[in-house]
Amino acid sequence: MKKYIRSLVDTYEEQLKEIRHHLHENPELSFEEYKTAQYIREALTQMGISLQEGITGTSTVGILKGAEPGPCIAFRADIDALPVNESNDLPYKSKIPGIMHACGHDTHTACLLVFAKILSSHKELVKGTVKFIFQAAEEKLPGGAKALCADGAMKDVDMVLGFHCSSSFPLGTVAVCRGATSAAIGVYEIKIQGKGGHGSSPHNAKNPVPVACMVGSALNQILAEKKNPTEGGVFTVSYMNGGQYPNIITDTVTMGGNVRTLNNELISRVFDSIRSISRGICEGYGLTCDVTTTLGYPATINVDEYTDAIMETAVQMEYAAVEKPTTLGGEDFAYYLLEKPGAYFHVGMADPERPITSSPHHNCNFQLDERGLRIGLEMELALYLKLTKQM
């Protein structure tokens, strides 16, 4: 089966690169992927793949049904680019000033489109139903996955899978994390209201600056008390703004930051503590405060069964299967995993002999070794055959 998969991918490899180059040249920002969505929808329609109705915005869900019974398996690719001005001198360099596929979403989209092309051209491989999810706006809150789930993209799905290209792993590596692979992200802001006055008469004022310092110090203790010490998590006071002149006591201070945990339930308890601690300290000094908390993406928590399937598939395809360290970055694939079981993995696309391919994501010099494109496609195809018991 490995030889068969590779022979299929050989047939489509040039088309895979062509699609990726087209997408790279024509990037669009989150929630503004109009031409990208049109390109995807036209391609799916030409393949004879139906489009799920009721999907809002610039996301697209293609549906392919087989003649034989089987599970409904969803594969996801994100389609948005970033507000980055590309510095690379490439024949397919971005044509749009200030916008670049600096995270590799063009790679994900190209792989999923060609994966759809292969299955639509080889219907004998389709057991049950395949959903091809082309998701808008992974890079910008509230993200496109949440709306897709609300629109019913996960309806009737049995399992969901996705991958991200990676400049952190060498070509030929497939990395997957057991359990939480990315963090739940929370953002908070506190506006402390005091009473302004002259620096010579502090007794006639209610200075919010020292109170804000006490609030910040107290907030930094939350995770130490709420978090299991074996779990990862960070709490950051990132800014504190208030006052400008040495002889003027300001009347307000605004402060805020972010919190990241690997536990979706923990972050709500942290938010509760932010509110109660801030208000308690402020009230003790005769001040008031307004607290705003915003949940970004939940934690992405892989299911062991599918983590094992990814590792086994990588070995069968003769790639280096490694356990990926957990990171505290965010990824809205988490929303799909709150709905249905599955896993998210990474495909190494860095060439050790070309240091530029190890440039960090979201960077104006971001490049990938395009030999990794076929590895992503092979993994999608092999995983599908494995999960439908054809491999």
Side-chain angles (χ1 to χ4, degrees), residues 21-30 32-36 79-84 86 92-102 106:
H21 294 171
H22 169 80
L23 295 168
H24 194 88
E25 286 181 318
N26 298 279
E28 293 179 295
L29 295 175
S30 303
E32 300 174 14
E33 311 96 329
Y34 304 110
K35 293 181 180 178
T36 305
I79 68 173
D80 53 330
L82 288 158
V84 173
E86 182 162 16
Y92 51 91
K93 178 179 179 179
S94 171
K95 295 177 179 178
I96 314 299
I99 305 178
M100 175 191 175
H101 270 293
D106 52 341

Side-chain angles (χ1 to χ4, degrees), residues 159 178 302-310 312 341-343 387:
M159 61 199 81
R178 193 169 298 280
N302 288 337
V303 175
D304 285 351
E305 176 185 352
Y306 300 100
T307 301
D308 291 340
I310 291 165
E312 292 166 7
L387 293 170

Side-chain angles (χ1 to χ4, degrees), residues 191-268:
K191 184 177 182 180
I192 299 175
Q193 184 65 50
K195 179 182 176 183
H198 195 282
S200 66
S201 306
H203 60 291
N204 291 326
K206 293 182 178 180
N207 190 348
V209 174
V211 176
C213 292
M214 285 185 276
V215 170
S217 180
L219 294 184
N220 267 311
Q221 300 302 310
I222 292 175
L223 276 188
E225 297 180 358
K226 300 293 183 184
K227 180 179 70 67
N228 183 323
T230 63
E231 292 182 348
V234 294
F235 189 102
T236 306
V237 180
S238 303
Y239 61 90
M240 190 176 292
N241 302 320
Q244 190 174 4
Y245 299 101
N247 62 341
I248 299 175
I249 296 173
T250 186
D251 57 356
T252 60
V253 169
T254 301
M255 59 184 293
N258 80 115
V259 55
R260 295 166 185 255
T261 73
L262 299 177
N263 182 319
N264 285 320
E265 186 273 334
L266 173 61
I267 201 164
S268 63

Side-chain angles (χ1 to χ4, degrees), residues 12 15 19 37-51 60 62-64 113 116-121 123 134:
Y12 292 93
Q15 186 177 356
I19 293 172
Q38 181 181 1
Y39 178 83
I40 291 166
R41 291 166 187 170
E42 288 177 356
L44 292 174
T45 301
Q46 289 174 4
M47 296 174 200
I49 294 175
S50 61
L51 306 183
T60 302
I63 301 174
L64 181 63
L113 270 176
K117 177 72 171 177
I118 291 173
L119 290 186
S120 66
S121 301
K123 284 280 195 71
F134 296 88

Side-chain angles (χ1 to χ4, degrees), residues 261-332:
T261 73
L262 299 177
N263 182 319
N264 285 320
E265 186 273 334
L266 173 61
I267 201 164
S268 63
R269 290 192 282 122
V270 171
F271 280 166
D272 289 341
S273 294
I274 292 172
R275 287 186 282 267
S276 61
I277 289 171
S278 302
R279 289 166 182 163
I281 292 174
C282 288
E283 287 174 7
Y285 286 87
L287 282 69
T288 60
C289 68
D290 291 322
V291 181
T292 302
T293 57
T294 303
L295 178 64
Y297 300 154
T300 303
I301 302 176
N302 288 337
V303 175
D304 285 351
E305 176 185 352
Y306 300 100
T307 301
D308 291 340
I310 291 165
M311 297 285 278
E312 292 166 7
T313 301
V315 170
Q316 288 175 308
M317 294 302 296
E318 297 184 347
Y319 294 123
V322 301
E323 287 208 18
K324 175 186 169 292
T326 298
T327 68
L328 295 178
E331 168 56 65
D332 73 345

